[in-house]
Every structure is written in C-alpha cells, then in structure tokens.
Amino acid sequence: MGNLFGRKRRSRVTEQDRAVLQLKQQRDKLRQYQKRLNLGLERERALARQLLRDGKKEKAMLLLKKKRYQEQLLDKTENQISNLERMVQDIEFTQIEMKVIEGLKIGNECLNKMHQVMSIEEVERIIGETQDAVEYQRQIDELLAGSLTEEDEDAILEELNAITQEQLELPEVPSEPLPEKIPEVSPIKNRPKPELVAAS
C-alpha cells in the first residue's frame, strides 16, 4: 500500500550515515571474528598440551603452527578494526565540519543582506542627522537658559531651598539656654536593695 497522501517522504538518512553504519557493522563482524579466533586459540593450545602428554609431538607442532598463523590473523584483524574506527571518526568529524561550514555560509549570506539594506553611506547619513538634531536641541536649551532673568534665577533658587527644607523637616531649635552642667545620678545608688529570700 503506498503513502496515504501520495507524497514520498524524504529520508533523513544521508549517504554519509549509510557509510558510517556499514563501517560500524563491518567493525562488529571483525570483533565477532576476533572472539571466535581467541576461543579457537585457547582450545588449540590445550589440545597441543594434551598431544604432547600423549607423545604426539609432530601433531602438537602442526597444531602450534596453525595457532601461530591464527595469531597473525588476529593481529591483522585488530589493525583493520582500528582503521575502521578511525574512518568512522573521520567521517563523523567531517560531517560536523560540514555543518559548521554551512552555518558560516548562512551567517555570511545574512550579514551580506543586512549590509545591502544598511550601507555605510546610510549609516553616515543617520549619524549626521542625529548629530544635527543634538546640536539643534543644545541651541534651544541655550536660548531657554539665556531667557531667564536674574530675578527668575533667584526665585528658582528660593523654591529649591524651600523644597529641600520641606524634605528635611528638622526639629526646632530650643530658645532657652542649655544648662551648664547636668547633675550626675548614679543608677546603682538610687536602686532599692533586693531582699534576700531564704531558701525553704
């Protein structure tokens, strides 16, 4: 039965993903092969010992030659596994690099579009207009500040002082003179003596 809506779904699996999967599968097969070789080597070593005990030295020698060949195969297999793992890592890292490059490309295109919208001449024009507006406002402020008379300045200062005094609200200063010396009273002398209570 086909897709319900007649559209083929696009697979998210890339060629690189397939290659990585195949490499990992091959690596796993080699590891299984290694395990089989290791088990075989142990059996053959045990069998060679048994043959030597039974006095069959030539058969034991032949078995040890076979074992030696399988050990060489095991070393080659280990090298192949290392190569496969290195290849997988290289592909995965290259995929990351490609994503970074794609991101940089998109960012660069975006910056170029923004630069086209706002050219250097446009920025210089806006800065110039802003500086003109600031200068114009400064001139207006100077004119307004210069139109105040000395009486206006004094009135403004008086109002500022009045507002400051309202905010402080300090207590009034007493009009009577302060006494010269305050009599000293010892708190211990005037305190009544506590009565001793006998313990019952």
Side-chain angles (χ1 to χ4, degrees), residues 53-69:
R53 280 189 216 128
D54 294 343
K56 300 177 181 176
K57 189 175 179 183
E58 288 181 21
K59 284 189 177 183
M61 185 75 118
L62 188 62
L63 201 58
L64 289 175
K65 284 182 182 179
K66 180 182 172 189
K67 181 181 162 285
R68 183 69 181 160
Y69 174 73

Side-chain angles (χ1 to χ4, degrees), residues 47-92:
L47 187 58
R49 280 188 196 141
Q50 184 63 40
L51 288 171
L52 283 174
R53 280 189 216 128
D54 294 343
K56 300 177 181 176
K57 189 175 179 183
E58 288 181 21
K59 284 189 177 183
M61 185 75 118
L62 188 62
L63 201 58
L64 289 175
K65 284 182 182 179
K66 180 182 172 189
K67 181 181 162 285
R68 183 69 181 160
Y69 174 73
Q70 287 178 338
E71 285 174 346
Q72 291 172 350
L73 284 178
L74 198 60
D75 289 340
K76 288 179 184 177
T77 305
E78 188 61 42
N79 288 336
Q80 289 174 349
I81 288 173
S82 296
N83 289 338
L84 287 173
E85 287 178 341
R86 195 174 311 115
M87 181 72 71
V88 167
Q89 289 172 353
D90 289 346
I91 290 172
E92 288 174 342

Side-chain angles (χ1 to χ4, degrees), residues 1-55:
M1 217 170 140
N3 287 334
L4 291 176
F5 301 107
R7 259 194 316 179
K8 263 191 170 179
R9 282 196 320 172
R10 197 170 166 209
S11 175
R12 292 184 182 182
V13 179
T14 64
E15 289 298 319
Q16 291 86 3
D17 294 335
R18 285 190 189 98
V20 167
L21 179 64
Q22 288 174 354
L23 288 170
K24 286 182 177 179
Q25 287 173 340
Q26 190 61 39
R27 176 200 62 196
D28 294 342
K29 286 178 185 175
L30 284 172
R31 282 188 177 153
Q32 289 172 355
Y33 178 69
Q34 264 186 330
K35 285 180 185 177
R36 282 197 313 269
L37 278 178
N38 279 324
L39 289 173
L41 289 173
E42 290 172 16
R43 277 194 312 264
E44 288 175 4
R45 186 174 176 95
L47 187 58
R49 280 188 196 141
Q50 184 63 40
L51 288 171
L52 283 174
R53 280 189 216 128
D54 294 343

